[in-house]
Amino acid sequence: MQDFRLPDLGEGLPEAELVQWLVAEGDTVSLNQNIAEVETAKAVVELPSPYAGTVQRLHHAAGDTIDVGDVIVTFALEGETVDAAPAAPAEAGKGEAEAEPEEEKATPNLVGYGAAPRKSARPQRRARAARAGASASADTAVLEAAPHDAIVEQPIEQPVERPRSTPPVRKLAKDLGIDLALVEATGENGLITRGDVEAYAGHTGMADAQAAAAASTTPAPTSDERVTRRPIRGVRKATAEAMVRSAFTAPHVTTFQTVDVTATMELVASLRADRSLEGHRIGVMAVAAKAVCLALGRNPSLNAKWDDAAGEIVEHHYVNLGVAAATERGLIVPVVPDADAMTLVELADAIGELAATARSGKTPPAAMTGGTFSITNFGVFGVEAGTPILNPGEAGILGLGTVAKRPWEHQGEIALRDVMTLSLSFDHRIVDGAEGSRFLVDVASVLEQPGRAMLLR
C-alpha cells in the first residue's frame, strides 16, 4: 500500500480544490496517468499518478479543499492485491499461485513522486478471477463462504475489470439503475462519459428515468430564493486578495492618452493580408505589446518593483510581460518571458498561445509568475478607458481601450480616424508623474506611427 499526498503545485500555494476524479476505486492506473483535476488559486492542474498499480481508496470527494501534504489517494502497487476480507483456505490442488519476489523499479514522474525500488517482503498473490457469466463480487462471496471441502466451479483466468468512468457519471448510472458494464465507452482510453450513459438510457427507454433522477437530485427553487451564493475560492479568492493587497499597499496613479491609431490599423491589415504570415494572427494587442517593450527600455522605472524588506527599488533589465486574460474561472495574468527579445510575429504567437491556454483552464501556476509589467485589453468589451489595478510586485500596467472611428484633426483637417485611449496605472512610490507621462507618450507615438519603432531601442 502506498499513499499519495497532494504535492506543492507551485509558488508555495497551501491548498487546492478537487475538481474531479479521473479514476475510481478499483481502477488500474499506469505511472504518470492523470488521476484527478485540482484547482489552485491560479489554475486547474491535472495530477499524474506517481505509481503504477490499483486505486485502493480515494480520500476526498469533488469540491473538497485539500491542504498540501494531505493524503488524497491510496494505491496498491503493481504485484500486490489487497483483499476486502480474509479468504477461506482453498481446496488442495486449487490454491492460489505464488509469484517469486520481484524487484520493482519506478521512474521519476511529473510531480516529483515515485515508488522507490523495492523488494516484496512476502510472496505476491495473483488477483482473484471471476467465473464466466457471473460478477466478480458473486464469485468472491462463494469462494470465501465455502467450507474447506466444498467444490467450487473453476474460475477462468481472465480477471474482470471495473468499467472506467468518473464519480459523477457513476452516480448518474446508479440513479438510472444502469450497469456500467453494459454501456459502450467512447471516451479516451475507454472512459465511459455522461453522454454514453445518456445514450444508453435513450436506447433502452430510460430517458424518463433520467429526468426523474435529475429532478430528485436538483432541489426546486422556492419563492423566496432571490439570491445566489457562491463560495469565494480558487482564482476569484486569489484575485480578490491580490487586488486588495495591491490597492492598499502601492499608491496608484492613473493617467490617460488618446491616440490616433489609424496607421497601426493599416499595418495590421497589411500583415494579415501577407500570405507569408498566414497562420500568425497579428493584431493591435501585439503591436501595443511591442510598443510597451520599447518604451520600457527608455523608461526603466516602469519595469521595476519595490522591495520593502531590502529597502530597495529593483529595476529589471528584461521584460516579462503579463497579459491579463478573462476566463470562466476569473481573471488570470499569464506571462510572456523575455518579451523584449521577441519580434512582432513572435509576440503575437506567444500572446495567442497564452490566451488559448487560459481559456481552456490549463495555464500552469509557473506561467503566471515573474511578471515585470502587465497589459490588459478591456477594449474587446467596448470599453474606452479604465483604471487598472497593479499586479502585486509590478510598477505599471497599461490598459487598451476600444478602437473607434471618430472625427479627428489630421494634417490640419478634420477626418474620420481610428482612435484609441490608453490607460496607464503606476506605483507612485517608484514612478513619478513625469516618468509615467513620458512612458505613455512613447507607447502612443509607436501606435500613432509604427515606423517610429525603427528609431527606438
Side-chain angles (χ1 to χ4, degrees):
M1 303 291 288
Q2 184 67 53
D3 290 334
F4 174 39
R5 300 176 183 273
L6 180 67
D8 183 349
L9 299 170
E11 290 301 298
L13 298 173
E15 62 185 23
E17 179 187 341
L18 178 60
V19 177
Q20 66 169 336
W21 286 109
L22 304 179
V23 295
E25 291 180 356
D27 284 356
T28 300
V29 298
S30 57
L31 185 67
N32 287 335
Q33 175 183 333
N34 289 330
I35 59 174
E37 287 185 352
V38 296
E39 181 178 7
T40 70
K42 295 184 176 181
V44 173
V45 179
E46 291 182 335
L47 286 182
S49 171
Y51 305 105
T54 302
V55 177
Q56 203 65 33
R57 181 184 174 191
L58 304 179
H59 292 262
H60 295 275
D64 286 357
T65 297
I66 309 170
D67 292 333
V68 170
D70 282 359
V71 176
I72 58 174
V73 59
T74 299
F75 294 94
L77 302 187
E78 280 187 346
E80 292 182 345
T81 298
V82 179
D83 298 327
E91 184 182 357
K94 296 185 180 179
E96 298 176 69
E98 294 185 348
E100 292 297 324
E102 182 180 55
E103 181 177 344
E104 287 193 11
K105 295 182 180 179
T107 57
N109 62 79
L110 299 178
V111 293
Y113 281 74
R118 65 184 181 86
K119 290 188 177 181
S120 175
R122 57 184 173 83
Q124 305 300 311
R125 293 183 175 181
R126 187 174 60 197
R128 294 183 182 276
R131 291 177 301 165
S135 69
S137 59
D139 275 354
T140 302
V142 170
L143 287 170
E144 295 184 350
H148 292 186
D149 58 350
I151 298 177
V152 181
E153 186 174 341
Q154 179 69 29
I156 61 174
E157 291 299 320
Q158 180 65 34
V160 173
E161 293 186 3
R162 186 177 183 181
R164 296 187 65 247
S165 62
T166 60
V169 173
R170 291 182 184 277
K171 185 178 186 306
L172 174 62
K174 181 179 179 181
D175 291 340
L176 295 176
I178 295 175
D179 182 356
L180 285 176
L182 304 176
V183 179
E184 182 180 356
T186 62
E188 186 177 356
N189 296 324
L191 186 72
I192 298 175
T193 66
R194 184 182 185 89
D196 296 335
V197 174
E198 291 174 346
Y200 181 85
H203 288 320
T204 56
M206 302 177 71
D208 293 339
Q210 178 184 353
S216 67
T217 58
T218 306
T222 60
S223 58
D224 61 350
E225 285 185 345
R226 302 181 64 174
V227 298
T228 298
R229 293 182 177 271
R230 291 181 293 143
I232 302 171
R233 58 193 181 194
V235 170
R236 179 58 57 195
K237 181 179 180 181
T239 300
E241 291 173 349
M243 293 300 98
V244 169
R245 185 168 69 253
S246 177
F248 289 97
T249 300
H252 283 56
V253 173
T254 304
T255 185
F256 306 91
Q257 175 78 3
T258 302
V259 58
D260 179 354
V261 294
T262 304
T264 288
M265 299 305 292
E266 291 172 349
L267 171 65
V268 167
S270 67
L271 293 176
R272 289 184 175 177
D274 189 337
R275 296 185 62 180
S276 67
L277 297 175
E278 188 176 356
H280 303 281
R281 185 169 178 78
I282 303 173
V284 177
M285 183 73 164
V287 178
K290 187 64 178 177
V292 163
C293 292
L294 293 169
L296 287 175
R298 292 164 55 89
N299 304 274
S301 63
L302 271 295
N303 194 39
K305 71 175 182 179
W306 182 275
D307 189 338
D308 208 19
E312 297 174 338
I313 292 173
V314 182
E315 288 187 358
H316 305 289
H317 302 302
Y318 57 90
V319 178
N320 284 352
L321 187 64
V323 181
T327 71
E328 292 182 355
R329 300 172 54 245
L331 182 70
I332 64 173
V333 188
V335 174
V336 179
D338 296 316
D340 55 318
M342 294 184 175
T343 66
L344 179 61
V345 174
E346 290 170 339
L347 260 179
D349 290 347
I351 291 172
E353 273 185 42
L354 288 184
T357 305
R359 283 193 295 268
S360 70
K362 303 299 183 183
T363 304
M368 292 181 281
T369 60
T372 63
F373 187 94
S374 292
I375 187 170
T376 180
N377 184 9
F378 35 68
V380 295
F381 304 107
V383 175
E384 292 186 3
T387 55
I389 295 180
L390 297 168
N391 261 340
E394 297 178 13
I397 180 171
L398 181 70
L400 307 180
T402 189
V403 178
K405 293 282 188 182
R406 292 185 189 174
W408 199 259
E409 188 276 328
H410 178 63
Q411 297 180 351
E413 297 181 355
I414 299 298
L416 199 61
R417 306 287 288 178
D418 290 313
V419 175
M420 168 195 281
T421 298
L422 305 175
S423 307
L424 173 69
S425 292
F426 55 87
D427 185 343
H428 215 341
R429 296 175 300 176
I430 305 174
V431 184
D432 294 333
E435 295 171 305
S437 298
R438 283 196 294 269
F439 170 83
L440 195 56
V441 169
D442 282 344
V443 173
S445 67
V446 172
L447 292 175
E448 188 173 21
Q449 299 182 43
R452 285 182 180 272
M454 302 295 292
L455 305 177
L456 303 177
R457 63 173 181 175

